[in-house]
Amino acid sequence: MRVTSKGQVTIPQNVRESMGILPAQSEIEFLQDENGRWYIAKTESYQKKTSRFRTANKAGKLTMSTDEIMALTRGESWPSS
């Protein structure tokens, strides 16, 4: 297996499939045994991080009208409804 100039290798497809490694969804770690041999292992603790913008979008509720928001950003008093 060839190592790129960036230190990367391609895990063969049959190895990925047998280990359940999925692109952009799996993490692996390198483990060394007492004899100095190295192994790769799929980690189970990987949790996909949700974008803070996606969670903020769901958290906020729009209760002000556009005119009220514009008045607030301009430092004006709110228009009467």
Side-chain angles (χ1 to χ4, degrees):
M1 196 174 298
R2 186 167 301 217
V3 180
T4 69
S5 62
K6 293 182 178 183
Q8 300 170 333
V9 297
T10 299
I11 302 170
Q13 183 176 359
N14 63 330
V15 174
R16 292 191 315 263
E17 288 173 353
S18 70
M19 293 182 71
I21 297 172
L22 301 172
Q25 295 181 18
S26 301
E27 295 250 343
I28 61 167
E29 61 183 348
F30 295 91
L31 304 171
Q32 189 174 27
D33 69 10
E34 62 278 351
N35 297 322
R37 292 183 182 171
W38 285 94
Y39 298 89
I40 63 169
K42 180 181 170 187
T43 60
E44 298 298 327
S45 62
Y46 178 73
Q47 295 176 354
K48 187 175 181 181
K49 293 182 181 178
T50 304
S51 165
R52 64 180 180 202
F53 299 107
R54 291 196 187 278
T55 55
N57 179 29
K58 294 178 182 177
K61 301 287 185 224
L62 184 60
T63 58
M64 298 172 68
S65 70
T66 304
D67 290 335
E68 291 171 328
I69 294 170
M70 294 304 294
L72 182 64
T73 59
R74 293 180 182 140
E76 302 169 358
S77 61
W78 290 4
S80 54
S81 301

Coordinates of all heavy atoms in Angstrom, one line a residue:
M1 N 0.9 -1.2 0.0 CA 0.0 0.0 0.0 C 0.9 1.2 0.0 O 1.8 1.3 0.8 CB -0.9 0.0 1.2 CG -2.1 0.9 1.2 SD -3.2 0.7 2.6 CE -3.7 -1.0 2.4
R2 N 0.6 2.2 -0.9 CA 1.4 3.4 -1.0 C 0.9 4.5 -0.1 O -0.3 4.7 0.1 CB 1.4 3.9 -2.4 CG 2.4 5.0 -2.7 CD 2.5 5.3 -4.1 NE 3.0 4.0 -4.7 CZ 3.9 3.9 -5.7 NH1 4.3 5.0 -6.2 NH2 4.3 2.8 -6.1
V3 N 1.9 5.2 0.5 CA 1.6 6.3 1.4 C 1.8 7.6 0.6 O 2.8 7.7 -0.1 CB 2.5 6.3 2.6 CG1 2.1 7.5 3.5 CG2 2.3 5.0 3.4
T4 N 0.8 8.5 0.6 CA 0.9 9.8 -0.1 C 1.9 10.7 0.6 O 2.3 10.5 1.7 CB -0.4 10.5 -0.3 OG1 -0.9 10.9 1.0 CG2 -1.5 9.5 -0.9
S5 N 2.2 11.8 -0.1 CA 3.1 12.8 0.5 C 2.5 13.4 1.8 O 3.2 14.0 2.6 CB 3.5 13.9 -0.5 OG 2.3 14.5 -0.9
K6 N 1.2 13.3 1.9 CA 0.4 13.9 3.1 C 0.3 12.8 4.2 O -0.4 13.0 5.2 CB -0.9 14.4 2.7 CG -0.9 15.6 1.8 CD -2.3 16.0 1.5 CE -2.3 17.3 0.6 NZ -3.7 17.8 0.4
G7 N 0.9 11.6 4.0 CA 0.8 10.6 5.0 C -0.5 9.8 4.9 O -0.9 9.2 5.9
Q8 N -1.2 9.9 3.8 CA -2.5 9.2 3.7 C -2.4 7.9 2.9 O -1.6 7.7 2.1 CB -3.5 10.1 2.9 CG -3.7 11.4 3.6 CD -4.5 12.4 2.7 OE1 -4.5 12.3 1.4 NE2 -5.2 13.3 3.3
V9 N -3.3 6.9 3.3 CA -3.4 5.7 2.6 C -4.9 5.4 2.3 O -5.7 5.9 3.0 CB -2.8 4.5 3.4 CG1 -1.3 4.6 3.6 CG2 -3.5 4.3 4.7
T10 N -5.2 4.6 1.3 CA -6.5 4.2 1.1 C -6.8 2.9 1.7 O -6.1 1.9 1.5 CB -6.8 4.1 -0.5 OG1 -6.5 5.4 -1.0 CG2 -8.2 3.7 -0.8
I11 N -7.8 2.8 2.5 CA -8.2 1.5 3.1 C -9.0 0.8 2.1 O -10.0 1.3 1.5 CB -9.1 1.7 4.4 CG1 -8.4 2.6 5.4 CG2 -9.5 0.4 5.0 CD1 -9.3 3.0 6.6
P12 N -8.6 -0.4 1.7 CA -9.2 -1.2 0.7 C -10.7 -1.4 0.9 O -11.2 -1.5 2.1 CB -8.5 -2.5 0.7 CG -7.2 -2.3 1.3 CD -7.4 -1.2 2.3
Q13 N -11.5 -1.4 -0.1 CA -13.0 -1.5 0.0 C -13.4 -2.7 0.8 O -14.3 -2.6 1.6 CB -13.6 -1.5 -1.4 CG -15.1 -1.5 -1.3 CD -15.8 -1.4 -2.7 OE1 -15.1 -1.3 -3.7 NE2 -17.1 -1.4 -2.7
N14 N -12.8 -3.9 0.6 CA -13.3 -5.1 1.3 C -13.0 -4.9 2.8 O -13.8 -5.4 3.6 CB -12.6 -6.3 0.7 CG -11.1 -6.3 0.8 OD1 -10.5 -5.3 0.8 ND2 -10.5 -7.5 0.9
V15 N -11.9 -4.2 3.2 CA -11.6 -4.0 4.6 C -12.7 -3.0 5.2 O -13.2 -3.3 6.3 CB -10.2 -3.5 4.8 CG1 -9.9 -3.1 6.2 CG2 -9.2 -4.5 4.3
R16 N -12.9 -1.9 4.4 CA -13.9 -1.0 4.9 C -15.3 -1.6 5.1 O -16.0 -1.4 6.1 CB -14.1 0.2 3.9 CG -12.8 1.1 3.8 CD -13.1 2.4 3.1 NE -13.8 2.2 1.8 CZ -13.2 2.1 0.6 NH1 -11.9 2.1 0.5 NH2 -14.0 2.0 -0.5
E17 N -15.7 -2.4 4.1 CA -17.0 -3.1 4.2 C -17.0 -4.1 5.4 O -18.0 -4.1 6.1 CB -17.3 -3.8 2.9 CG -17.6 -2.9 1.8 CD -17.8 -3.6 0.4 OE1 -17.5 -4.8 0.3 OE2 -18.2 -2.9 -0.5
S18 N -16.0 -4.9 5.6 CA -16.0 -5.9 6.7 C -16.0 -5.2 8.0 O -16.5 -5.7 9.0 CB -14.9 -6.9 6.5 OG -13.6 -6.2 6.8
M19 N -15.4 -4.0 8.1 CA -15.3 -3.3 9.4 C -16.5 -2.3 9.6 O -16.6 -1.8 10.7 CB -14.0 -2.5 9.5 CG -12.7 -3.4 9.6 SD -11.2 -2.4 9.7 CE -11.4 -1.8 11.4
G20 N -17.3 -2.1 8.6 CA -18.4 -1.2 8.7 C -18.0 0.2 8.6 O -18.7 1.1 9.2
I21 N -16.9 0.5 8.0 CA -16.4 1.9 7.9 C -17.1 2.6 6.7 O -17.0 2.2 5.6 CB -14.9 1.9 7.7 CG1 -14.2 1.3 8.9 CG2 -14.4 3.4 7.5 CD1 -12.7 1.1 8.8
L22 N -17.8 3.7 7.0 CA -18.5 4.4 6.0 C -17.9 5.8 5.8 O -17.5 6.5 6.8 CB -20.0 4.6 6.5 CG -20.7 3.3 6.7 CD1 -22.1 3.6 7.3 CD2 -20.9 2.5 5.4
P23 N -17.8 6.3 4.6 CA -17.2 7.6 4.3 C -17.9 8.7 5.0 O -19.2 8.7 5.0 CB -17.3 7.7 2.8 CG -17.5 6.3 2.3 CD -18.2 5.6 3.4
A24 N -17.2 9.6 5.6 CA -17.8 10.8 6.3 C -18.7 10.4 7.5 O -19.3 11.3 8.0 CB -18.5 11.7 5.3
Q25 N -18.8 9.2 7.9 CA -19.6 8.8 9.0 C -18.8 8.0 10.1 O -19.3 7.8 11.2 CB -20.8 7.9 8.5 CG -21.7 8.7 7.6 CD -22.9 7.8 7.2 OE1 -23.2 6.8 7.8 NE2 -23.6 8.2 6.2
S26 N -17.7 7.5 9.7 CA -16.9 6.6 10.6 C -15.6 7.3 11.0 O -15.0 8.0 10.3 CB -16.7 5.3 10.0 OG -17.8 4.7 9.6
E27 N -15.2 6.9 12.2 CA -13.8 7.3 12.7 C -13.1 6.1 13.0 O -13.7 5.1 13.5 CB -14.0 8.2 14.0 CG -14.7 9.5 13.8 CD -13.7 10.7 13.9 OE1 -12.6 10.5 14.4 OE2 -14.1 11.8 13.4
I28 N -11.8 6.1 12.8 CA -11.0 5.0 13.2 C -9.9 5.5 14.1 O -9.6 6.7 14.2 CB -10.4 4.3 12.0 CG1 -9.5 5.2 11.2 CG2 -11.4 3.7 11.1 CD1 -8.6 4.5 10.2
E29 N -9.3 4.5 14.8 CA -8.1 4.9 15.7 C -7.0 3.8 15.4 O -7.3 2.7 15.0 CB -8.5 4.9 17.1 CG -9.0 3.6 17.7 CD -9.4 3.8 19.2 OE1 -9.1 4.8 19.8 OE2 -10.1 2.9 19.7
F30 N -5.8 4.2 15.7 CA -4.7 3.3 15.6 C -4.3 2.8 16.9 O -4.1 3.6 17.9 CB -3.5 4.1 14.9 CG -3.8 4.5 13.5 CD1 -4.4 5.7 13.2 CD2 -3.6 3.6 12.4 CE1 -4.7 6.1 11.9 CE2 -3.8 4.0 11.1 CZ -4.4 5.2 10.9
L31 N -4.1 1.5 17.1 CA -3.8 0.9 18.3 C -2.5 0.1 18.1 O -2.3 -0.6 17.1 CB -4.9 -0.1 18.8 CG -6.3 0.6 18.9 CD1 -7.4 -0.5 19.1 CD2 -6.3 1.6 20.0
Q32 N -1.7 0.1 19.2 CA -0.4 -0.7 19.1 C -0.5 -1.7 20.2 O -0.8 -1.4 21.4 CB 0.8 0.2 19.3 CG 2.1 -0.5 19.1 CD 3.3 0.5 19.1 OE1 3.2 1.5 19.7 NE2 4.3 0.1 18.4
D33 N -0.2 -3.0 19.9 CA -0.1 -4.0 20.9 C 1.2 -4.1 21.6 O 2.1 -3.3 21.3 CB -0.6 -5.4 20.4 CG 0.4 -6.0 19.4 OD1 1.6 -5.5 19.3 OD2 0.1 -7.0 18.7
E34 N 1.3 -5.0 22.6 CA 2.6 -5.1 23.4 C 3.8 -5.6 22.6 O 4.9 -5.4 22.9 CB 2.4 -6.0 24.6 CG 2.0 -7.5 24.2 CD 0.5 -7.7 23.9 OE1 -0.3 -6.8 24.2 OE2 0.2 -8.8 23.5
N35 N 3.5 -6.2 21.4 CA 4.6 -6.6 20.5 C 5.0 -5.5 19.5 O 5.9 -5.8 18.6 CB 4.2 -7.9 19.7 CG 4.0 -9.0 20.7 OD1 4.7 -9.2 21.7 ND2 3.0 -9.8 20.4
G36 N 4.4 -4.4 19.5 CA 4.7 -3.3 18.6 C 3.9 -3.3 17.3 O 4.2 -2.4 16.5
R37 N 3.0 -4.2 17.2 CA 2.2 -4.2 15.9 C 1.1 -3.2 16.0 O 0.5 -3.0 17.1 CB 1.6 -5.6 15.7 CG 2.6 -6.7 15.4 CD 1.9 -8.0 15.2 NE 2.9 -9.0 14.9 CZ 2.6 -10.3 14.8 NH1 1.4 -10.7 15.0 NH2 3.6 -11.1 14.6
W38 N 0.8 -2.6 14.9 CA -0.2 -1.6 14.8 C -1.5 -2.2 14.2 O -1.4 -3.0 13.2 CB 0.3 -0.4 14.0 CG 1.2 0.4 14.7 CD1 2.6 0.3 14.7 CD2 0.9 1.5 15.6 NE1 3.1 1.3 15.5 CE2 2.1 2.0 16.1 CE3 -0.3 2.1 16.1 CZ2 2.2 3.1 17.0 CZ3 -0.2 3.1 16.9 CH2 1.0 3.6 17.4
Y39 N -2.6 -1.7 14.7 CA -4.0 -2.1 14.2 C -4.8 -0.9 14.0 O -4.7 0.1 14.7 CB -4.6 -3.1 15.2 CG -3.8 -4.3 15.4 CD1 -2.8 -4.4 16.4 CD2 -4.1 -5.5 14.6 CE1 -2.1 -5.6 16.6 CE2 -3.4 -6.6 14.8 CZ -2.4 -6.7 15.8 OH -1.7 -7.8 15.9
I40 N -5.8 -1.0 13.1 CA -6.8 0.0 13.1 C -8.1 -0.5 13.7 O -8.4 -1.7 13.6 CB -7.1 0.6 11.6 CG1 -7.6 -0.5 10.7 CG2 -5.9 1.2 11.1 CD1 -8.2 0.0 9.4
A41 N -8.9 0.3 14.3 CA -10.1 -0.1 14.9 C -11.2 1.0 14.7 O -10.8 2.2 14.8 CB -10.0 -0.3 16.4
K42 N -12.3 0.6 14.4 CA -13.4 1.6 14.2 C -13.9 2.0 15.6 O -14.1 1.2 16.5 CB -14.6 0.9 13.4 CG -15.8 1.9 13.2 CD -16.9 1.1 12.5 CE -18.1 2.0 12.5 NZ -19.3 1.3 11.9
T43 N -14.0 3.3 15.8 CA -14.4 3.8 17.1 C -15.9 3.9 17.2 O -16.6 4.2 16.2 CB -13.8 5.2 17.5 OG1 -14.2 6.1 16.5 CG2 -12.3 5.1 17.5
E44 N -16.5 3.6 18.3 CA -18.0 3.6 18.4 C -18.5 4.9 19.0 O -19.7 5.2 18.9 CB -18.4 2.5 19.4 CG -18.0 1.1 18.9 CD -18.7 0.7 17.6 OE1 -19.8 1.1 17.3 OE2 -18.0 0.0 16.8
S45 N -17.6 5.8 19.5 CA -18.1 7.0 20.1 C -18.2 8.2 19.2 O -18.5 9.3 19.6 CB -17.1 7.4 21.2 OG -15.8 7.6 20.7
Y46 N -18.1 8.0 17.9 CA -18.2 9.1 16.9 C -19.7 9.5 16.9 O -20.6 8.8 16.8 CB -17.8 8.6 15.5 CG -18.0 9.7 14.5 CD1 -17.1 10.8 14.5 CD2 -19.0 9.7 13.6 CE1 -17.3 11.8 13.5 CE2 -19.1 10.7 12.6 CZ -18.3 11.7 12.6 OH -18.4 12.7 11.7
Q47 N -19.8 10.9 17.1 CA -21.2 11.5 17.0 C -21.1 12.6 16.0 O -20.2 13.4 16.0 CB -21.6 12.0 18.3 CG -21.8 11.0 19.4 CD -22.2 11.6 20.7 OE1 -22.2 12.8 20.9 NE2 -22.5 10.8 21.7
K48 N -22.0 12.5 15.0 CA -22.0 13.5 14.0 C -22.4 14.9 14.6 O -23.4 15.0 15.4 CB -23.0 13.2 12.9 CG -23.0 14.1 11.7 CD -23.9 13.7 10.7 CE -23.9 14.6 9.5 NZ -24.8 14.2 8.4
K49 N -21.6 15.9 14.4 CA -21.8 17.2 15.0 C -22.8 17.9 14.1 O -22.7 18.0 12.9 CB -20.5 18.0 15.0 CG -19.5 17.4 16.0 CD -18.3 18.3 16.1 CE -17.3 17.7 17.0 NZ -16.1 18.4 17.1
T50 N -23.8 18.5 14.8 CA -24.9 19.2 14.1 C -24.4 20.7 14.0 O -23.9 21.2 14.9 CB -26.2 19.2 14.8 OG1 -26.5 17.8 15.0 CG2 -27.3 19.9 14.1
S51 N -24.6 21.3 12.8 CA -24.2 22.6 12.6 C -24.9 23.5 13.6 O -26.1 23.4 13.9 CB -24.5 23.1 11.2 OG -24.5 24.5 11.1
R52 N -24.1 24.4 14.2 CA -24.7 25.4 15.2 C -25.7 26.2 14.6 O -26.7 26.7 15.2 CB -23.6 26.2 15.9 CG -22.9 27.1 15.0 CD -21.8 27.9 15.7 NE -21.2 28.7 14.7 CZ -20.0 29.2 14.9 NH1 -19.3 29.0 16.0 NH2 -19.5 30.0 14.0
F53 N -25.6 26.5 13.3 CA -26.6 27.3 12.6 C -27.9 26.5 12.4 O -29.0 27.1 12.5 CB -26.1 27.7 11.2 CG -24.8 28.6 11.4 CD1 -23.6 28.1 11.0 CD2 -24.9 29.9 11.9 CE1 -22.4 28.8 11.2 CE2 -23.8 30.6 12.0 CZ -22.5 30.1 11.7
R54 N -27.8 25.2 12.2 CA -29.1 24.4 12.0 C -29.8 24.3 13.4 O -31.0 24.4 13.4 CB -28.7 23.0 11.5 CG -28.3 23.0 10.1 CD -28.4 21.6 9.6 NE -27.8 21.5 8.2 CZ -28.4 21.8 7.1 NH1 -29.7 22.2 7.2 NH2 -27.8 21.7 6.0
T55 N -29.1 24.2 14.5 CA -29.7 24.1 15.8 C -30.3 25.5 16.2 O -31.3 25.6 16.8 CB -28.8 23.6 16.9 OG1 -27.6 24.4 16.9 CG2 -28.4 22.2 16.6
A56 N -29.6 26.6 15.8 CA -30.0 27.9 16.1 C -31.3 28.2 15.4 O -32.2 28.9 15.9 CB -29.0 28.9 15.8
N57 N -31.4 27.7 14.1 CA -32.5 28.0 13.3 C -33.8 27.4 13.9 O -34.8 28.0 13.9 CB -32.3 27.4 11.9 CG -33.5 27.5 11.0 OD1 -34.2 28.5 11.1 ND2 -33.6 26.6 10.0
K58 N -33.6 26.2 14.5 CA -34.8 25.5 15.1 C -35.1 26.1 16.5 O -36.3 25.9 17.0 CB -34.5 24.0 15.2 CG -34.4 23.4 13.9 CD -34.1 21.9 14.0 CE -33.9 21.3 12.7 NZ -33.5 19.9 12.7
A59 N -34.2 26.8 17.2 CA -34.4 27.2 18.5 C -35.2 28.6 18.5 O -35.9 28.8 19.4 CB -33.1 27.4 19.2
G60 N -34.9 29.4 17.6 CA -35.5 30.7 17.6 C -37.0 30.7 17.0 O -37.3 30.0 16.1
K61 N -37.8 31.6 17.6 CA -39.1 31.8 17.1 C -39.3 33.3 16.7 O -39.0 34.2 17.5 CB -40.2 31.5 18.2 CG -40.1 30.0 18.7 CD -40.6 29.0 17.7 CE -40.6 27.7 18.3 NZ -40.1 26.6 17.4
L62 N -39.8 33.5 15.5 CA -40.0 34.9 15.0 C -41.3 35.4 15.5 O -42.4 34.9 15.1 CB -39.9 34.9 13.5 CG -40.0 36.3 12.9 CD1 -38.9 37.2 13.4 CD2 -40.0 36.2 11.4
T63 N -41.3 36.4 16.4 CA -42.5 36.9 16.9 C -42.6 38.4 16.6 O -43.6 39.0 16.9 CB -42.6 36.8 18.5 OG1 -41.4 37.4 19.1 CG2 -42.6 35.3 18.9
M64 N -41.6 39.0 16.0 CA -41.6 40.4 15.7 C -41.8 40.5 14.2 O -41.4 39.7 13.4 CB -40.2 41.1 16.0 CG -39.9 41.0 17.5 SD -38.3 41.6 17.9 CE -38.4 43.3 17.5
S65 N -42.5 41.6 13.8 CA -42.7 41.8 12.4 C -41.4 42.4 11.8 O -40.5 42.9 12.5 CB -43.8 42.8 12.2 OG -43.4 44.1 12.6
T66 N -41.3 42.5 10.5 CA -40.1 43.0 9.8 C -39.9 44.5 10.2 O -38.8 45.0 10.5 CB -40.2 42.9 8.3 OG1 -40.4 41.5 8.0 CG2 -39.0 43.4 7.6
D67 N -41.0 45.2 10.3 CA -41.0 46.7 10.6 C -40.4 46.8 12.1 O -39.6 47.7 12.3 CB -42.3 47.3 10.5 CG -42.8 47.5 9.1 OD1 -41.9 47.5 8.2 OD2 -44.0 47.5 8.8
E68 N -40.9 46.0 13.0 CA -40.4 46.0 14.4 C -38.9 45.7 14.4 O -38.1 46.4 15.2 CB -41.2 45.1 15.2 CG -42.6 45.5 15.5 CD -43.4 44.4 16.1 OE1 -43.2 43.2 15.9 OE2 -44.4 44.8 16.9
I69 N -38.4 44.7 13.7 CA -37.0 44.4 13.7 C -36.2 45.5 13.1 O -35.1 45.9 13.7 CB -36.8 43.1 12.9 CG1 -37.4 41.9 13.6 CG2 -35.3 42.8 12.7 CD1 -37.5 40.6 12.8
M70 N -36.6 46.1 12.0 CA -35.9 47.2 11.4 C -35.9 48.4 12.3 O -34.8 49.1 12.4 CB -36.5 47.6 10.1 CG -36.4 46.5 9.0 SD -34.8 46.0 8.7 CE -34.1 47.5 8.0
A71 N -36.9 48.7 13.0 CA -37.0 49.8 13.9 C -36.0 49.6 15.1 O -35.3 50.5 15.5 CB -38.4 50.1 14.5
L72 N -36.0 48.4 15.6 CA -35.1 48.0 16.7 C -33.6 48.1 16.2 O -32.8 48.7 17.0 CB -35.3 46.6 17.1 CG -34.5 46.0 18.3 CD1 -34.9 46.8 19.5 CD2 -34.8 44.6 18.5
T73 N -33.3 47.7 15.0 CA -31.9 47.8 14.6 C -31.5 49.2 14.3 O -30.3 49.6 14.4 CB -31.6 47.0 13.3 OG1 -32.5 47.4 12.3 CG2 -31.9 45.5 13.6
R74 N -32.4 50.1 14.0 CA -32.1 51.5 13.8 C -32.2 52.3 15.0 O -31.9 53.5 15.0 CB -33.1 52.1 12.8 CG -33.0 51.5 11.4 CD -34.0 52.1 10.4 NE -33.9 51.5 9.1 CZ -34.9 51.1 8.4 NH1 -36.1 51.4 8.8 NH2 -34.7 50.6 7.2
G75 N -32.6 51.7 16.1 CA -32.6 52.5 17.4 C -33.9 53.3 17.5 O -34.0 54.2 18.3
E76 N -34.9 53.0 16.7 CA -36.1 53.8 16.7 C -37.1 53.1 17.6 O -37.0 52.0 18.0 CB -36.7 53.9 15.3 CG -35.8 54.5 14.3 CD -36.3 54.3 12.8 OE1 -37.3 53.7 12.6 OE2 -35.6 54.8 11.9
S77 N -38.2 53.8 18.0 CA -39.2 53.2 18.7 C -40.0 52.3 17.8 O -40.1 52.6 16.6 CB -40.1 54.2 19.4 OG -40.7 55.0 18.4
W78 N -40.7 51.3 18.3 CA -41.4 50.4 17.5 C -42.6 51.0 16.9 O -43.3 51.8 17.5 CB -41.9 49.2 18.3 CG -40.8 48.3 18.7 CD1 -39.4 48.4 18.5 CD2 -40.9 47.0 19.4 NE1 -38.7 47.4 19.0 CE2 -39.6 46.5 19.6 CE3 -42.0 46.3 19.9 CZ2 -39.3 45.3 20.2 CZ3 -41.7 45.1 20.5 CH2 -40.4 44.7 20.7
P79 N -42.9 50.7 15.6 CA -44.2 51.3 15.0 C -45.4 50.7 15.7 O -45.4 49.6 16.2 CB -44.1 50.9 13.6 CG -43.1 49.7 13.5 CD -42.2 49.9 14.7
S80 N -46.4 51.5 15.8 CA -47.7 51.0 16.4 C -48.4 50.1 15.4 O -48.4 50.3 14.2 CB -48.6 52.2 16.8 OG -48.8 53.0 15.7
S81 N -49.0 49.0 16.0 CA -49.6 48.0 15.1 C -51.0 48.4 14.7 O -51.7 49.0 15.4 CB -49.7 46.7 15.9 OG -48.4 46.2 16.2

